[in-house]
Amino acid sequence: MRTETENAARVVVIGAGMAGARLAARVPGVTVIGEEAHAPYNRVLLAEVLAGRYEPDVIALPPAETRRGVRVVRIDRAERQVLCDDGSATGYERLVLATGSNPVLPPLRGLGHTLPDGVHPFRTLDDCLALRAAVRPGVRAVVIGGGLLGVSAARALAECGAQVVLAQQGEHLMERQLDAEAARMLRGHLEALGVEVHTECRVRGLRCTDGAAPAVRAVELADGYELEAEITVLACGVRPRAGLAQAAGLEVRRGVVVDDELRTSDPYIHAVGDCAEHDGTVYGLAGAALEQADVLAEVLAGRPARYGGTRALTRLTLRSPSSAPGVAGAPAALDLAAFGDSRPLPGDDVIRLADATRGAYRTVVVRGDRLAGGVLFGDLAAVGTLARTWQDDDPLPADMPLLHLLTNDGGF
Ligand SMILES: Cc1cc2nc3c(=O)[nH]c(=O)nc-3n(C[C@H](O)[C@H](O)[C@H](O)COP(=O)(O)OP(=O)(O)OC[C@H]3O[C@@H](n4cnc5c(N)ncnc54)[C@H](O)[C@@H]3O)c2cc1C
């Protein structure tokens, strides 16, 4: 094993994803070690690459000095160095974990540690390029999971001409972000794109071909029904990548536990992004990863900064290119934005405006004198004002009729 120790870098970052790249852009001279072979890219835009709308270079993030294709396999806290799978060791004065998250592999019959041919996670650019290479018009694809990832994947596959079935275990799509009405509209939009949506649909297993290199041929539902599948996408959520931290003895609950200065239980090690757990929350959202990286950049520069949590907005655009097979009659594009908690508690005020002919729907939940959350669908004219009010946690003006929250742009 090579034990070359490089010049001790003041700051070493593990992970060249969205948080790691942001930190590198803010802190001069950091060493970033990333296991992916590609230059850092905007993961949020992967569905656009899958749909063929963007080439990978379009989603590249500003270049940062990165050691690519190198995985950190161990943190040696006593020696303050990280050990990599290429045999190298790199010393640090401050270490930052920005290792992101891993896709959850659901406990399905027929799914072991090695994925059968045709079964794809949807996390990295390589996952996305492999999926893109496998998709051709008419191919039968089943997407397991109807959250943000599953919906994005299903839409992109349909745009490529695949025959897509989306299997969602929950009652409606994107349960974390949407209320039932917005989810119904989203479902209608996906169906207009040719996606067959099944909710309250539990997948039990995969049926694969026999032989040394099994390939998926069907997805088996809990009621025994089989959906024919040449491609299966696993979009069943993500789990923070905290294995390195755990092995190094850092405090890990769901993610690597950090304080308001994004510091772990070791004062020389920080964590940001999907792998970090702050105040009991693992965000799993790009907005939080970038905000945490910005705060940490200040902390590392010795300036006072504290992270107080992120009020992140989720946005999704569903386009329907007329060139894609099976999308005749689908609306041209549909925008969706969700923030906070759109499921009301007893005592909350709920304000709703729906316009079925224009496919527009807006709802906000008001708790006391604050916005608790909301969903805008199809028409995002009011999203800027609403999102700002929510992000700043400003009290709502006492004399303003609540309906104005939704109609300050002139209404429908
Ligand atoms: C398809 C898709 C769509 C998404 N859409 C949205 C969206 O619309 N809105 C939103 O807010 N969020 C979205 N997200 C989530 C968002 O991408 C993440 O929250 C964000 O990327 C988190 O940034 P991160 O830097 O913490 O992790 P990542 O971007 O995942 O980066 C972590 C990096 O660390 C590397 N790494 C891990 N371990 C090691 C190691 N031991 N050695 C070296 N390198 C290592 C990984 O390979 C990876 O490159 C989406 C995610 C996906 C996959």
Side-chain angles (χ1 to χ4, degrees), residues 30 37 53 63 91-92 122 146 152 179 212 261 264 282 295 314 326 345 366 368 374:
V30 297
R53 189 167 296 112
Y92 64 82
F122 188 35
S152 306
D179 64 3
E261 291 188 322
T264 68
V282 173
V295 171
T314 304
L345 299 177
V366 175

Side-chain angles (χ1 to χ4, degrees), residues 15 17-19 35-36 43 72 99-100 123 149 241 273-274 284-286:
M18 296 191 69
E35 85 185 336
E36 293 190 65
R43 206 171 293 282
V72 173
T99 49
R123 178 75 199 172
L149 271 191
R241 271 182 86 161
D274 280 13
L285 288 171

